[in-house]
Amino acid sequence: MIKACIFDLDGVITDTAEFHFIAWRKLANSLNFDFNKEFNETLKGVSRIDSLEMILKLGGVEKTDAEIQELAVIKNDWYVDLLKGMTQDDALPGVRDLLIDLKAKGYKIGLGSASKNAVPVLKFLDMLDFFEVIIDGTKTTKGKPDPQVFQMGAKALGVKPEDTVVFEDALSGVQAALNGGFTAVGCGSPENLGHAHHVVAGLNEVTEEWISKL
Ligand code: G6P
Ligand code: MG
């Protein structure tokens, strides 16, 4: 029986996945190469430094560790600039209503994100209070597809993976949920997320009743 829901942030709660894409692409362009949306799919759910290493490899660019740290700061500054001006209206369709309903029906609610910007993003959305537990990139040591982020979330919520559903838009995130023994709901297209237990276009297609039957 599902007792808890753990949500990824970027691309599930809000469309910051697009901001990550814009900022990473700007960085790649500044290094004289480009990448497309298909490659971007492989970056979703991946930590800042690991994403950067994948991008540099794609462009055939070699950098020292110090330069990599500097580039990560540049990208994050651009990303944080894109976040400015975000409001409550930037939550994806159906998210707030679903969270309100889940809370009213007594589900435990957690966040499981690789982002170190998760708390400010939730504050922009005025959604911080929905989450009993927030496990983000400041707390984890292993990135998705390792299940650590969701395991830490379930433990802090006091639930078992088999009683918990994870909502994810990333290939690596769905895999992390499966690796941890969670019910995995992919938010996006079945072509990308076909390995999930269920795929929905977005949380606007999800209701508490649907979750109760998982
Ligand atoms: C999420 C996003 C990734 C991003 C990662 C780290 O998992 O899907 O695209 O690289 O968080 O985010 P941060 O905000 O810490 O750079
Ligand atoms: Mg995501």
Side-chain angles (χ1 to χ4, degrees):
M1 203 187 113
I2 300 296
K3 296 177 185 155
C5 299
I6 300 182
F7 295 87
D8 173 50
L9 176 69
D10 298 307
V12 171
I13 301 277
T14 180
D15 201 12
T16 38
E18 186 64 21
F19 293 161
H20 281 295
F21 176 55
I22 292 168
W24 280 133
R25 198 163 170 227
K26 186 170 170 185
L27 192 77
N29 291 171
S30 76
L31 299 167
N32 297 316
F33 66 97
D34 203 2
F35 65 85
N36 58 22
K37 284 250 169 181
E38 196 185 339
F39 177 75
N40 189 59
E41 284 303 317
T42 67
L43 298 178
K44 288 183 177 175
V46 177
S47 76
R48 197 179 305 167
I49 290 294
D50 289 353
S51 299
L52 179 53
E53 284 176 351
M54 287 167 68
I55 290 165
L56 294 177
K57 195 171 165 208
L58 180 83
V61 176
E62 287 197 16
K63 294 284 176 191
T64 63
D65 285 352
E67 288 167 334
I68 287 177
Q69 294 301 330
E70 278 171 31
L71 289 172
V73 170
I74 291 171
K75 181 267 175 180
N76 191 57
D77 287 348
W78 285 335
Y79 174 70
V80 170
D81 262 352
L82 290 168
L83 295 179
K84 286 179 189 152
M86 262 182 95
T87 70
Q88 327 188 6
D89 295 337
D90 290 304
L92 282 165
V95 176
R96 195 176 306 272
D97 286 348
L98 179 64
L99 291 173
I100 289 170
D101 206 21
L102 290 172
K103 205 137 199 108
K105 305 259 166 57
Y107 287 79
K108 293 184 174 290
I109 301 174
L111 190 92
S113 167
S115 175
K116 293 181 173 161
N117 292 298
V119 170
V121 169
L122 287 176
K123 280 188 186 159
F124 281 127
L125 297 172
D126 194 21
M127 283 190 162
L128 202 54
D129 292 346
F130 284 117
F131 296 90
E132 236 170 276
V133 162
I134 292 176
I135 309 295
D136 62 16
T138 67
K139 295 183 178 149
T140 53
T141 54
K142 296 176 196 165
K144 301 168 186 177
D146 190 284
Q148 186 196 44
V149 62
F150 300 130
Q151 287 169 334
M152 287 172 74
K155 194 170 175 210
L157 289 170
V159 290
K160 293 184 193 141
E162 57 265 39
D163 298 331
T164 306
V165 58
V166 168
F167 293 93
E168 256 295 347
D169 71 318
L171 293 161
S172 59
V174 165
Q175 195 54 52
L178 296 174
N179 289 344
F182 295 85
T183 297
V185 175
C187 300
S189 74
E191 293 87 70
N192 290 330
L193 305 172
H195 52 318
H197 291 112
H198 304 274
V199 181
V200 293
L203 291 180
N204 53 331
E205 291 184 3
V206 177
T207 60
E208 181 278 324
E209 197 192 348
W210 185 80
I211 291 171
S212 71
K213 291 177 186 155
L214 286 174

